[in-house]
Amino acid sequence: MDLELTETQAMVQKTARDFATRVVAPQAAETDATERFPRAAMKGLAELGLMAVNVPPEVGGSGAGVVATALAIQEIARACASTAVMMSVNNMVGEAIARFGTDAQKQQHCPRLASGEYPTGCFALSEPDAGSDPGGMRTTARRDGADWVLDGAKQWITGGSYAGVYIVWARTAGPETGAKGISCFLVEGGAKGLKVGRPEDKMGIRGSDTVPLEFDGVRVPATALLGQENGGFKIAMMALDGGRIGISSQALGIARAALAESAAYAKERRTFDVPIAQHQAIQWKLADMQTSVDAAHLLSMRAAWLKEHGKPFSREASMAKLFASEAAVRVCNEAVQIHGGFGYVREFAAERHLRDARVTMIYEGTSEIQRVVIARSVLA
Ligand SMILES: Cc1cc2nc3c(=O)[nH]c(=O)nc-3n(C[C@H](O)[C@H](O)[C@H](O)COP(=O)(O)OP(=O)(O)OC[C@H]3O[C@@H](n4cnc5c(N)ncnc54)[C@H](O)[C@@H]3O)c2cc1C
């Protein structure tokens, strides 16, 4: 793995960092407090080419690669984890359509996902009774003439109130077929019969939209099938492998913010006549936090580099996501501690970082599921 960034990667990182500092960070506390979809920030990211970083330019993307995508998400997450998760999902949706879509599907959706014409794209896999085990999903798609008709419910869908396109997984063969009877469809925003439920009242990433969806006889044409009939599960797993690099990057960005703010605070805050940074207990916390951040960075970059170079990366993506998310929670918890009472109130960002970090251990596969993936590969 080459640790030096290419010119393109460095440029994407700088572009994201500048935008994060100038536009995203100043709005982050308000985005969290008001739970408002950060529409302007999302549009700005699209204008900078950061909404489809690893999507080929022929279909409107930036074509800057996987490492560049990870770097961009890290920078935005450092400023606002809510914006970063929707950016990560949008990039994942664009990539999946670019990879598995027909020419017509790519031409219809990828440029709109990249340009911000779609406020966001959605990944609708989880259901009320099927999260870790999506093979147990109940949403169905049945043929009706040339069309498919979708019925069922999805749960926890990021950006679901605003999507221009949803990638939706549904059962196209009996439940006994498990993961082998699932297909994948592209459903347009505002489709008849698609009902968007009330946004979840979440612990963190409160500026990101998370909603249940109901599919009540949603009719899509045969051309809406993404990939092969009954081949949808594989698409989900491949997309999630890549998405996990996005979430490890999000976790890393949050942890970096918590660390930087803790170091600055420790130099300012005084107890017993000295800055708390002079107490060894605080220094050790900062040392451990920095070590965790660097380890998370290296694991994330390795997974991104392997994916970029067309090598197997599933295990490495799970390791990056597992480590980075758990490290982020540890780091943010220590950040609250270093801030003392001020860590517990909204005046400082430390409490937001901890609330935001927590979900990275849950979505796109919980820590337990990452360990299942890793252990399976160790024992293979
Ligand atoms: C804010 C937010 C946004 C989300 N966004 C999306 C989205 O955009 N699209 C989408 O499709 N989904 C999304 N999700 C759903 C998310 O991916 C699921 O919540 C997650 O996969 C866990 O599923 P579950 O909630 O059903 O938990 P369950 O699967 O019910 O798991 C409950 C507990 O059991 C553990 N467990 C389950 N199976 C095993 C096992 N085999 N071994 C050991 N432990 C196990 C889990 O790790 C967990 O601790 C989102 C979730 C949240 C909270």
Side-chain angles (χ1 to χ4, degrees), residues 182-210:
I182 290 169
S183 305
C184 191
F185 299 89
L186 297 177
V187 177
E188 290 178 37
K192 194 158 171 266
L194 170 56
K195 292 175 197 145
V196 177
R198 197 165 52 84
E200 301 294 346
D201 186 5
K202 302 190 295 294
M203 172 187 188
I205 55 163
R206 290 176 68 83
S208 85
D209 172 63
T210 313

Side-chain angles (χ1 to χ4, degrees), residues 123 125-126 131-132 156-158 202 359 362-364 366 368:
F123 189 90
L125 179 68
S126 301
S132 300
W156 316 114
I157 306 309
T158 300
K202 302 190 295 294
V359 75
I362 296 173
Y363 53 29
E364 300 208 17
T366 60
E368 290 76 16

Side-chain angles (χ1 to χ4, degrees), residues 167-181:
I167 306 187
V168 183
W169 280 265
R171 186 156 285 298
T172 40
E176 70 289 351
T177 57
K180 294 194 177 118

Side-chain angles (χ1 to χ4, degrees), residues 231-244:
F233 194 76
K234 220 168 138 192
I235 294 179
M237 293 304 110
M238 288 165 99
L240 281 175
D241 278 345
R244 283 166 187 164

Side-chain angles (χ1 to χ4, degrees), residues 77-79 251-263 293 331-332 335 349 353:
R78 196 208 282 249
L252 179 53
I254 301 169
R256 279 200 182 122
L259 171 57
E261 288 156 21
S262 298
V293 162
V331 166
C332 293
H353 296 320

